[in-house]
């Protein structure tokens, strides 16, 4: 059973994991180095726990203690009960959901490990906005994508904002980082995947014409908001695909575009009773 500890000093060193949560640059560097990430809100905390992440501690306002009682009773990690005012002093913002948990990171799988069994893969290049990362993971989980591969400069899927926007979907879609960009795209192709680059370029075929749902293994490549995929990534692709647009609109937000493209990739694909992809042959 976890210890319930009331803390009244914002400088208490036991709250170190939760300090300065609004300092993006600090947290982006500090969290991977210290091996932690922050889960915010009851649902996200429960999903992180259910996904097998070890809890380091929880930070709760008083009214959330009863709501999280089953988690408190089940886990050995300390639970710090604080006032909303103290939580704001420590974190740097008003903690609307009243519950934070510091979770222990686990080692990431390699891209090769994920590619052995995946059939539908997302490859992200230079997507460094945490909101977009979270939205893409949520759509990937909902629409049956099997894995996400990140270029070295993509944002951290376990950063608090990404986790929150994804509603914990970052815990259910396995991901790995590619270490050499764009050279590692060749290893994806060698694993049997067709590389489809999503671009608004008029030279690209529409997703309907390309029919990715009929392909055996597909790796859908998406670039950062505004800039899109780099020239090197486009050159490395097997085919360019696009979402047809109306009313003079030239492109969609990368999160919205990802959801549309994931649906096109998954449509017509046979699934098991639980909606999961069939195992690779």
């Amino acid at each position: 059973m976890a210890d319930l500890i009331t803390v009244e000093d914002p400088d208490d060193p036991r709250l170190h994991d939760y300090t300065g949560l609004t300092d993006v640059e600090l947290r982006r560097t500090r969290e991977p180095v210290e091996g932690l990430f922050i889960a915010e809100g009851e649902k996200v905390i429960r999903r992180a726990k259910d996904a097998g992440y070890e809890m380091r501690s929880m930070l709760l306002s008083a009214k959330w203690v009863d709501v999280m009682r089953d988690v408190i009773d089940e886990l050995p990690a300390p639970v710090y009960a604080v006032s909303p005012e103290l939580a704001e002093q420590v974190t740097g913002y008003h903690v609307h959901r009243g519950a934070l948990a510091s979770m222990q990171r686990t080692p990431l799988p390699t891209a090769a490990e994920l590619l052995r069994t995946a059939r539908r893969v997302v490859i992200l290049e230079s997507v460094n906005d945490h909101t977009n990362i979270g939205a893409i993971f949520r759509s990937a989980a909902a629409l049956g994508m099997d894995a996400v591969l990140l270029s070295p400069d993509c944002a951290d899927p376990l950063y608090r904002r990404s986790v929150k926007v994804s509603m914990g979907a970052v815990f259910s879609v396995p991901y790995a980082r590619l270490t050499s960009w764009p050279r590692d795209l060749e290893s994806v192709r060698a694993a049997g995947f067709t590389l489809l680059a999503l671009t608004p370029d008029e030279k690209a075929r529409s997703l309907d014409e390309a029919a990715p749902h009929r392909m055996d293994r597909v790796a859908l490549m998406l670039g950062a908001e505004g800039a899109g995929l780099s020239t090197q990534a486009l050159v490395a692709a097997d085919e360019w695909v696009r979402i047809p647009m109306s009313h003079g609109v030239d492109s969609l937000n990368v999160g919205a575009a990802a959801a549309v493209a994931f649906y096109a990739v998954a449509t017509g694909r046979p699934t098991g009773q639980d909606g999961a992809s069939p195992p690779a042959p």
Side-chain angles (χ1 to χ4, degrees):
M1 181 181 296
D3 296 325
L4 184 60
I5 304 165
T6 299
V7 178
E8 297 179 345
D9 179 4
D11 296 321
D12 191 311
R14 292 173 294 183
L15 304 184
H16 174 72
D17 285 1
Y18 304 96
T19 57
L21 293 185
T22 57
D23 189 330
V24 177
E25 290 303 317
L26 172 65
R27 300 298 303 200
R28 186 162 55 188
T29 302
R30 176 183 156 194
E31 290 184 9
V33 170
E34 296 184 13
L36 67 93
F37 69 91
I38 300 297
E40 180 176 1
E42 178 194 359
K43 289 183 179 178
V44 172
I45 292 172
R46 291 183 184 277
R47 287 171 183 170
K49 180 181 75 70
D50 291 344
Y53 289 97
E54 179 184 350
M55 188 177 293
R56 293 160 60 108
S57 67
M58 273 199 293
L59 183 72
L60 303 177
S61 58
K63 70 176 184 178
W64 284 92
V65 172
D66 287 340
V67 175
M68 303 298 293
R69 174 58 64 183
D70 61 315
V71 177
I72 294 171
D73 290 345
E74 183 181 328
L75 298 173
V79 178
Y80 304 116
V82 300
S83 68
E85 293 76 20
L86 188 137
E88 184 170 354
Q89 284 181 273
V90 172
T91 64
Y93 74 104
H94 178 62
V95 185
H96 298 282
R97 298 175 187 269
L100 296 169
S102 175
M103 312 296 294
Q104 188 71 41
R105 290 178 183 247
T106 57
L108 288 180
T110 65
E113 289 170 338
L114 296 184
L115 292 173
R116 287 193 195 108
T117 55
R119 300 291 295 275
R120 299 293 186 260
V121 171
V122 187
I123 300 179
L124 302 181
E125 181 190 26
S126 303
V127 179
N128 49 33
D129 181 274
H130 293 102
T131 298
N132 285 334
I133 286 283
I136 290 169
F137 268 83
R138 188 172 184 180
S139 294
L143 297 169
M145 303 300 286
D146 299 321
V148 177
L149 302 181
L150 307 168
S151 70
D153 55 350
C154 277
D156 180 10
L158 292 183
Y159 180 72
R160 178 177 60 89
R161 181 65 180 166
S162 301
V163 173
K164 183 177 179 180
V165 170
S166 80
M167 287 301 294
V170 293
F171 309 138
S172 58
V173 181
Y175 68 93
R177 283 198 182 270
L178 300 172
T179 56
S180 179
W181 185 267
R183 187 181 307 161
D184 282 347
L185 291 174
E186 186 53 44
S187 65
V188 180
R189 180 182 290 107
F193 287 82
T194 301
L195 298 175
L196 300 183
L198 191 66
T199 171
D201 194 292
E202 61 182 16
K203 298 175 186 175
R205 283 210 298 168
S206 73
L207 281 164
D208 285 343
E209 293 173 336
H213 64 281
R214 296 196 181 98
M215 298 177 182
D216 183 42
R217 286 185 166 184
V218 175
L220 183 68
M221 301 162 55
L222 297 101
E225 190 79 24
L229 290 166
S230 67
T231 300
Q232 295 94 323
L234 290 169
V235 169
D238 294 308
E239 186 172 357
W240 296 4
V241 294
R242 61 181 174 83
I243 300 169
M245 301 286 170
S246 301
H247 302 293
V249 177
D250 60 357
S251 64
L252 295 173
N253 165 276
V254 66
V260 173
F262 296 165
Y263 183 78
V265 167
T267 299
R269 179 161 54 107
T271 59
Q273 289 183 348
D274 61 354
S277 303

